[in-house]
Amino acid sequence: MFDRLRKTMVGADIPTEPVIIQLPDQRFGVFTVTGQWDPRVVTVTGPWRATLTLSAVLSLPEVLKRRLIWNLPPPRITPMTRDAVRLEVDGQPAPLDCGRRAMRRATYNVRATVAGREYLLRHEGRWRARLERDGQPVARLSTPDQGRTMSAVYQPAADAADASVGVALGMVLGIGAPGFMRNLLANLP
């Protein structure tokens, strides 16, 4: 614990070993989420035959990067702009809008188009979100441990592609968002 704190405060080399998370899902099977540190690249594989890759380059000075990277290990990416993260499905680019990340919870909503389907990850609480496909709800996502794992409850019409997109967007960009009052209090001097 002390060594990790010292590395955070003083700075240390950026880790090179990937973070690998196995997410079991009762309905669709096991998803594997693999996150690289810098550049931040996260791949999601599972029951759907396609591989989803989300990536972002941490555009920070090396000194800040060494301090901040310990606080946000992969697979998480915190975008600073709407186009800060790229999405690829089997190596082909796919549209992704990460949201503005402003004061209201709705500004954290994520929009993506995968396999001709329009997805919206709509944040409903601090640790809860709903995944919609073409305007219809397909899953409720939640995280009991502040984003380290996730659980999903699917609608009957959901398929493996929906589950893969939910895992990718939820684990990488986060499930849930703070509300207006919490953001306001956090930004007061």
Side-chain angles (χ1 to χ4, degrees):
M1 174 72 175
F2 178 73
D3 188 45
R4 183 173 180 178
L5 181 62
R6 183 188 60 77
K7 288 179 181 178
T8 302
M9 302 308 273
V10 175
D13 291 333
I14 295 170
T16 56
E17 287 139 26
V19 173
I20 300 171
I21 298 171
Q22 298 284 329
L23 287 175
D25 185 276
Q26 292 180 357
R27 183 165 169 191
F28 294 107
V30 177
F31 293 91
T32 302
V33 180
T34 306
Q36 301 292 330
W37 289 87
D38 186 33
R40 190 63 57 99
V41 177
V42 181
T43 57
V44 176
T45 57
W48 191 39
R49 289 191 165 84
T51 300
L52 283 83
T53 305
L54 288 100
S55 60
V57 176
L58 298 175
S59 56
L60 298 169
E62 197 65 31
V63 172
L64 284 178
K65 194 181 292 184
R66 288 182 178 167
R67 289 187 179 163
L68 295 177
I69 201 161
W70 289 104
N71 296 328
L72 191 68
R76 290 299 299 270
I77 299 174
T78 301
M80 297 298 146
T81 62
R82 292 182 113 139
D83 59 352
V85 180
R86 290 183 320 218
L87 171 64
E88 294 180 356
V89 180
D90 282 340
Q92 300 300 315
L96 176 69
D97 178 356
C98 300
R100 295 181 306 141
R101 309 267 166 165
M103 295 295 277
R104 294 182 355 195
R105 183 175 289 134
T107 62
Y108 285 73
N109 291 346
V110 179
R111 290 165 178 75
T113 303
V114 176
R117 301 171 173 186
E118 300 281 330
Y119 287 97
L120 172 64
L121 182 65
R122 183 183 306 269
H123 303 288
E124 296 182 325
R126 184 73 180 116
W127 306 112
R128 295 182 326 271
R130 180 176 65 215
L131 181 67
E132 298 176 1
R133 176 188 67 209
D134 298 324
Q136 300 299 316
V138 291
R140 286 208 178 283
L141 309 176
S142 63
T143 178
D145 54 9
Q146 301 179 355
R148 291 180 206 76
T149 62
M150 66 170 272
S151 61
V153 176
Y154 300 101
Q155 298 291 326
D159 59 17
D162 300 331
S164 294
V165 170
V167 168
L169 297 180
M171 287 299 292
V172 175
L173 298 171
I175 297 171
F180 175 76
M181 290 305 290
R182 187 179 197 113
N183 283 329
L184 181 63
L185 292 173
N187 288 316
L188 288 177

